[in-house]
Amino acid sequence: MLILARKVGEAIVIADDIKVRVLESKGGLVKLGVEAPNEVAVHREEIFLRIVEENKKAAMETPADLSSLAEAFSLNKKEQEK
Amino acid sequence: MNALEKEREQPAAEKLITVQTSRFGEIAIDQDRVITMTSPFLGFPESKRFILRPHGPDSPFMWLQSLDNPDLAFVVIRAGLLGEAYDPQVPGPAMKELEISGENDRDMLLILTIPKGKPEDITANLLGPLLINTSKRLAKQVVLDPNKYDPCWPLFQK
Protein backbone atom coordinates (compact mmCIF):
# COMPACT_ATOMS: atom_id res chain seq x y z
CA MET A 1 0.00 0.00 0.00
CA LEU A 2 1.22 3.47 -0.85
CA ILE A 3 1.24 5.69 2.22
CA LEU A 4 1.37 9.48 1.85
CA ALA A 5 1.43 12.07 4.63
CA ARG A 6 -0.73 15.13 3.97
CA LYS A 7 -1.47 18.30 5.92
CA VAL A 8 -4.87 19.97 6.02
CA GLY A 9 -5.40 21.71 2.71
CA GLU A 10 -3.10 19.36 0.82
CA ALA A 11 -4.32 16.81 -1.69
CA ILE A 12 -3.35 13.72 -3.62
CA VAL A 13 -4.10 13.17 -7.29
CA ILE A 14 -5.16 9.75 -8.61
CA ALA A 15 -4.79 9.13 -12.33
CA ASP A 16 -5.45 12.31 -14.32
CA ASP A 17 -8.67 13.53 -12.92
CA ILE A 18 -9.32 12.40 -9.34
CA LYS A 19 -8.28 14.66 -6.50
CA VAL A 20 -8.67 13.88 -2.80
CA ARG A 21 -8.02 16.77 -0.45
CA VAL A 22 -7.81 16.80 3.35
CA LEU A 23 -10.23 19.53 4.35
CA GLU A 24 -10.24 19.20 8.11
CA SER A 25 -8.80 17.02 10.85
CA LYS A 26 -10.34 17.26 14.28
CA GLY A 27 -10.52 14.80 17.16
CA GLY A 28 -9.70 11.74 15.09
CA LEU A 29 -12.16 12.66 12.33
CA VAL A 30 -10.78 13.55 8.93
CA LYS A 31 -12.90 15.33 6.34
CA LEU A 32 -11.97 14.58 2.76
CA GLY A 33 -13.04 16.44 -0.34
CA VAL A 34 -13.19 14.28 -3.46
CA GLU A 35 -13.15 15.78 -6.91
CA ALA A 36 -13.79 13.12 -9.52
CA PRO A 37 -15.52 12.81 -12.89
CA ASN A 38 -19.22 12.06 -12.73
CA GLU A 39 -18.77 8.45 -13.88
CA VAL A 40 -16.47 7.61 -10.97
CA ALA A 41 -18.55 6.23 -8.11
CA VAL A 42 -17.37 7.35 -4.68
CA HIS A 43 -18.78 5.62 -1.60
CA ARG A 44 -17.87 5.13 2.00
CA GLU A 45 -16.14 1.76 2.27
CA GLU A 46 -18.69 0.36 4.72
CA ILE A 47 -21.49 0.74 2.13
CA PHE A 48 -19.55 -1.49 -0.23
CA LEU A 49 -18.75 -3.96 2.53
CA ARG A 50 -22.43 -4.03 3.48
CA ILE A 51 -23.39 -5.04 -0.06
CA VAL A 52 -20.58 -7.61 -0.29
CA GLU A 53 -21.84 -9.11 2.98
CA GLU A 54 -25.46 -9.14 1.81
CA ASN A 55 -24.49 -10.71 -1.53
CA LYS A 56 -22.57 -13.45 0.29
CA LYS A 57 -25.49 -14.10 2.61
CA ALA A 58 -27.90 -14.23 -0.34
CA ALA A 59 -25.64 -16.72 -2.15
CA MET A 60 -25.16 -18.91 0.93
CA GLU A 61 -28.70 -19.32 2.04
CA THR A 62 -30.60 -20.13 -1.14
CA PRO A 63 -33.20 -22.79 -0.34
CA ALA A 64 -33.64 -26.01 -2.28
CA ASP A 65 -37.30 -25.35 -2.95
CA LEU A 66 -38.94 -22.02 -3.65
CA SER A 67 -42.47 -23.19 -4.36
CA SER A 68 -44.00 -22.62 -0.95
CA LEU A 69 -42.28 -19.25 -0.77
CA ALA A 70 -43.68 -18.27 -4.17
CA GLU A 71 -47.14 -19.14 -2.89
CA ALA A 72 -46.61 -17.15 0.30
CA PHE A 73 -45.43 -14.19 -1.76
CA SER A 74 -48.57 -14.02 -3.87
CA LEU A 75 -50.78 -14.43 -0.78
CA ASN A 76 -48.90 -11.63 0.98
CA LYS A 77 -49.23 -9.40 -2.06
CA LYS A 78 -52.99 -10.00 -2.25
CA GLU A 79 -53.34 -9.18 1.42
CA GLN A 80 -51.50 -5.89 0.98
CA GLU A 81 -53.68 -4.93 -1.95
CA LYS A 82 -56.86 -5.34 0.11
CA MET B 1 -44.09 -7.27 -22.51
CA ASN B 2 -40.94 -7.00 -20.57
CA ALA B 3 -37.77 -8.12 -22.32
CA LEU B 4 -36.79 -10.43 -19.49
CA GLU B 5 -39.92 -12.46 -20.15
CA LYS B 6 -38.15 -13.75 -23.22
CA GLU B 7 -36.32 -16.11 -20.88
CA ARG B 8 -39.24 -18.42 -21.43
CA GLU B 9 -38.81 -18.68 -25.18
CA GLN B 10 -37.21 -21.74 -26.69
CA PRO B 11 -33.73 -21.01 -28.03
CA ALA B 12 -32.40 -22.24 -31.38
CA ALA B 13 -30.38 -25.44 -30.92
CA GLU B 14 -27.20 -24.11 -32.57
CA LYS B 15 -26.90 -21.33 -30.02
CA LEU B 16 -26.99 -23.65 -27.05
CA ILE B 17 -24.00 -24.14 -24.82
CA THR B 18 -23.90 -26.47 -21.86
CA VAL B 19 -22.76 -25.35 -18.44
CA GLN B 20 -22.24 -27.30 -15.25
CA THR B 21 -24.07 -25.94 -12.18
CA SER B 22 -24.35 -27.26 -8.64
CA ARG B 23 -28.03 -26.55 -8.33
CA PHE B 24 -29.39 -27.50 -11.73
CA GLY B 25 -26.76 -29.99 -12.89
CA GLU B 26 -25.74 -29.63 -16.51
CA ILE B 27 -27.90 -27.02 -18.22
CA ALA B 28 -28.19 -26.00 -21.84
CA ILE B 29 -28.34 -22.26 -22.28
CA ASP B 30 -28.84 -19.96 -25.21
CA GLN B 31 -25.67 -17.91 -25.74
CA ASP B 32 -27.78 -14.90 -26.59
CA ARG B 33 -29.34 -14.97 -23.12
CA VAL B 34 -26.05 -14.73 -21.23
CA ILE B 35 -25.87 -11.62 -19.07
CA THR B 36 -22.42 -10.07 -18.67
CA MET B 37 -21.42 -7.92 -15.70
CA THR B 38 -19.78 -4.63 -16.67
CA SER B 39 -18.17 -4.23 -13.22
CA PRO B 40 -16.93 -6.87 -10.77
CA PHE B 41 -19.83 -8.40 -8.83
CA LEU B 42 -19.33 -7.27 -5.22
CA GLY B 43 -18.05 -10.25 -3.25
CA PHE B 44 -17.85 -12.45 -6.35
CA PRO B 45 -15.49 -10.69 -8.77
CA GLU B 46 -14.72 -13.98 -10.59
CA SER B 47 -18.33 -14.29 -11.78
CA LYS B 48 -18.79 -12.20 -14.88
CA ARG B 49 -21.43 -14.16 -16.78
CA PHE B 50 -24.87 -15.14 -15.53
CA ILE B 51 -28.06 -16.62 -16.82
CA LEU B 52 -31.59 -15.92 -15.59
CA ARG B 53 -33.81 -18.95 -15.11
CA PRO B 54 -37.43 -18.49 -14.15
CA HIS B 55 -38.40 -20.50 -11.09
CA GLY B 56 -41.78 -21.43 -12.54
CA PRO B 57 -44.65 -20.07 -14.59
CA ASP B 58 -46.58 -18.71 -11.58
CA SER B 59 -43.60 -17.76 -9.47
CA PRO B 60 -42.26 -14.24 -8.97
CA PHE B 61 -38.79 -15.65 -8.40
CA MET B 62 -35.96 -16.19 -10.83
CA TRP B 63 -32.58 -17.80 -10.40
CA LEU B 64 -29.54 -15.79 -11.35
CA GLN B 65 -27.03 -18.55 -11.99
CA SER B 66 -23.34 -17.80 -12.45
CA LEU B 67 -21.71 -19.42 -15.47
CA ASP B 68 -18.24 -18.88 -14.02
CA ASN B 69 -18.87 -20.42 -10.61
CA PRO B 70 -21.12 -23.52 -10.63
CA ASP B 71 -21.91 -23.04 -6.92
CA LEU B 72 -23.12 -19.47 -7.22
CA ALA B 73 -26.81 -18.76 -7.72
CA PHE B 74 -29.00 -15.98 -6.38
CA VAL B 75 -32.75 -15.81 -6.03
CA VAL B 76 -34.01 -12.57 -7.56
CA ILE B 77 -37.26 -10.79 -8.33
CA ARG B 78 -38.04 -7.96 -10.70
CA ALA B 79 -37.96 -4.66 -8.82
CA GLY B 80 -41.18 -3.72 -10.59
CA LEU B 81 -43.05 -6.23 -8.41
CA LEU B 82 -42.69 -3.83 -5.51
CA GLY B 83 -44.71 -1.27 -7.42
CA GLU B 84 -44.54 2.36 -6.41
CA ALA B 85 -42.87 1.47 -3.13
CA TYR B 86 -39.58 1.14 -4.97
CA ASP B 87 -38.67 3.30 -7.92
CA PRO B 88 -35.16 4.56 -7.29
CA GLN B 89 -33.39 7.09 -9.41
CA VAL B 90 -30.57 5.27 -11.16
CA PRO B 91 -27.22 7.07 -11.22
CA GLY B 92 -26.48 8.44 -14.71
CA PRO B 93 -22.98 6.95 -14.90
CA ALA B 94 -24.40 3.44 -14.35
CA MET B 95 -26.85 3.98 -17.21
CA LYS B 96 -23.93 5.03 -19.38
CA GLU B 97 -21.81 2.07 -18.33
CA LEU B 98 -24.63 -0.27 -19.32
CA GLU B 99 -25.28 1.63 -22.55
CA ILE B 100 -28.92 2.09 -21.59
CA SER B 101 -30.60 4.62 -23.82
CA GLY B 102 -34.23 4.43 -22.73
CA GLU B 103 -36.81 2.85 -20.45
CA ASN B 104 -37.46 0.06 -22.95
CA ASP B 105 -34.12 -1.65 -22.69
CA ARG B 106 -33.68 -1.49 -18.94
CA ASP B 107 -34.86 -3.62 -16.09
CA MET B 108 -33.98 -3.95 -12.45
CA LEU B 109 -33.66 -7.06 -10.31
CA LEU B 110 -33.48 -7.36 -6.56
CA ILE B 111 -31.30 -9.97 -4.90
CA LEU B 112 -33.11 -11.87 -2.15
CA THR B 113 -31.72 -13.31 1.05
CA ILE B 114 -33.73 -16.26 2.31
CA PRO B 115 -32.62 -17.26 5.83
CA LYS B 116 -32.22 -21.00 6.34
CA GLY B 117 -35.11 -22.42 8.34
CA LYS B 118 -36.92 -19.05 8.34
CA PRO B 119 -37.86 -18.45 4.70
CA GLU B 120 -40.67 -16.12 5.79
CA ASP B 121 -37.98 -13.65 6.89
CA ILE B 122 -36.95 -13.23 3.25
CA THR B 123 -35.41 -9.83 2.49
CA ALA B 124 -34.66 -7.91 -0.68
CA ASN B 125 -31.53 -5.83 -1.20
CA LEU B 126 -32.93 -2.42 -2.13
CA LEU B 127 -29.57 -0.70 -1.62
CA GLY B 128 -27.77 -2.65 -4.33
CA PRO B 129 -30.19 -3.56 -7.13
CA LEU B 130 -29.00 -5.14 -10.36
CA LEU B 131 -29.52 -2.85 -13.29
CA ILE B 132 -29.80 -4.66 -16.61
CA ASN B 133 -29.63 -3.59 -20.21
CA THR B 134 -32.09 -6.15 -21.50
CA SER B 135 -31.25 -5.80 -25.19
CA LYS B 136 -27.46 -5.82 -24.84
CA ARG B 137 -27.58 -8.25 -21.89
CA LEU B 138 -25.29 -6.15 -19.71
CA ALA B 139 -25.71 -5.84 -15.95
CA LYS B 140 -24.25 -4.10 -12.94
CA GLN B 141 -25.05 -3.98 -9.27
CA VAL B 142 -25.54 -0.30 -8.56
CA VAL B 143 -24.98 1.23 -5.14
CA LEU B 144 -27.78 3.62 -4.19
CA ASP B 145 -28.16 6.09 -1.33
CA PRO B 146 -27.73 4.20 1.97
CA ASN B 147 -29.85 6.82 3.75
CA LYS B 148 -32.83 5.90 1.58
CA TYR B 149 -32.53 2.20 0.79
CA ASP B 150 -32.34 -0.84 3.03
CA PRO B 151 -30.07 -3.76 2.05
CA CYS B 152 -32.34 -6.15 4.01
CA TRP B 153 -35.85 -4.97 3.33
CA PRO B 154 -38.47 -7.51 4.51
CA LEU B 155 -40.28 -8.75 1.42
CA PHE B 156 -43.31 -9.93 3.36
CA GLN B 157 -44.72 -6.69 4.70
CA LYS B 158 -47.08 -7.15 7.59
Side-chain angles (χ1 to χ4, degrees), chain A residues 5-77:
Chain A
R6 300 281 64 196
K7 290 181 181 141
V8 170
E10 292 179 337
I12 63 161
V13 178
I14 301 168
D16 293 328
D17 44 13
I18 300 171
K19 208 181 272 183
V20 183
R21 189 178 300 280
V22 181
L23 299 178
E24 192 188 298
S25 171
K26 213 162 53 183
L29 185 77
V30 178
K31 276 191 186 159
L32 301 173
V34 181
E35 280 174 59
N38 206 19
E39 65 271 16
V40 175
V42 180
H43 298 282
R44 290 176 173 87
E45 185 189 31
E46 58 268 30
I47 308 302
F48 262 101
L49 295 179
R50 188 69 192 79
I51 291 184
V52 167
E53 183 198 344
E54 200 54 39
N55 282 350
K56 290 199 166 160
K57 238 165 78 189
M60 284 280 294
E61 303 193 348
T62 52
D65 177 44
L66 285 173
S67 301
S68 50
L69 207 51
E71 219 166 278
F73 179 85
S74 55
L75 281 175
N76 185 265
K77 216 162 186 271

Side-chain angles (χ1 to χ4, degrees), chain B residues 18-156:
Chain B
T18 53
V19 179
Q20 196 61 42
T21 69
S22 307
R23 180 171 294 272
F24 307 106
E26 192 178 87
I27 54 169
I29 52 170
D30 181 351
Q31 287 184 61
D32 290 349
R33 304 249 69 91
V34 173
I35 295 170
T36 307
M37 293 289 153
T38 56
S39 304
F41 203 108
L42 293 175
F44 302 96
E46 79 291 349
S47 278
K48 292 193 166 62
R49 301 171 307 144
F50 287 84
I51 192 86
L52 263 181
R53 287 169 65 89
H55 163 240
D58 297 318
S59 171
F61 304 122
M62 289 180 278
W63 289 99
L64 184 69
Q65 168 70 50
S66 166
L67 304 184
D68 298 309
N69 176 354
D71 295 335
L72 183 62
F74 296 100
V75 183
V76 298
I77 53 164
R78 292 195 51 235
L81 280 178
L82 269 52
E84 286 170 10
Y86 186 69
D87 186 19
Q89 181 145 25
V90 177
M95 300 282 275
K96 212 170 145 191
E97 184 177 325
L98 293 175
E99 301 167 38
I100 292 172
S101 48
E103 285 291 321
N104 290 337
D105 57 3
R106 63 171 262 193
D107 209 336
M108 201 180 256
L109 298 175
L110 299 173
I111 300 175
L112 304 179
T113 300
I114 306 166
K116 274 208 175 81
K118 290 188 98 182
E120 67 280 8
D121 291 346
I122 181 171
T123 59
N125 185 346
L126 304 189
L127 177 62
L130 280 172
L131 185 63
I132 301 187
N133 179 331
T134 50
S135 42
K136 294 193 172 171
R137 314 295 294 176
L138 299 173
K140 174 189 173 67
Q141 188 172 27
V142 293
V143 180
L144 301 176
D145 183 350
N147 296 317
K148 284 189 192 159
Y149 300 106
D150 188 349
C152 332
W153 186 78
L155 195 61
F156 291 172

